[in-house]
Amino acid sequence: MAEETPPVDEMHYEQLAQDALRGVIRAALERAAGPDGIPGAHHFYITFRTRAPGVSVPPDILAKYPEEMTVVLQHQYWDLKVEPNRFSVMLKFGGMPKVLAMPYTAVTRFYDPSVQFLLQFETPLELEVAEEEPAPEPESPPPSGDDGPKVVSLDQFRKK
């Protein structure tokens, strides 16, 4: 019985899907950056890798969060700038304003607890290979009732 070589995904559909889902983050942030800010009760928990390429975090914040951190965009955020491949925002830490900037590829989770909407992203393969130790599992979003978050995961589309 001859072994068949599995087909090669030269279209890189999994990466295309992740890029499209990151576009959802960009669109939500574009609305938040508009004159009316974040509408209604919506607010965002954005978790990102602090040492990912293109991330700019002040040294004192990086020392406190050397791998990953979560920021909340709700009432007190300033100068939200949304670009095609990255965004930046000013937040206060201990009463001091600090600017954080990152590409969308650094985001590992985007969660809007007001509607239980969650996007979770995998670490790109090239970063997984570069890591010496496995990355810790991201924290679960805060519980808010009986209904769990609506998770959009690419696992359901993978061949087993």
Side-chain angles (χ1 to χ4, degrees), residues 3-13 159-160:
E3 290 185 29
E4 289 187 32
T5 305
V8 176
D9 178 11
E10 294 182 33
M11 293 296 293
H12 306 282
Y13 284 116
K159 286 186 177 181
K160 300 290 180 194

Side-chain angles (χ1 to χ4, degrees), residues 60-61 65 69 71 90-100:
D60 59 324
I61 302 297
Y65 302 96
M69 79 178 291
V71 295
M90 181 187 297
L91 299 169
K92 286 190 178 179
F93 294 87
M96 299 296 297
K98 311 269 182 171
V99 175
L100 309 175

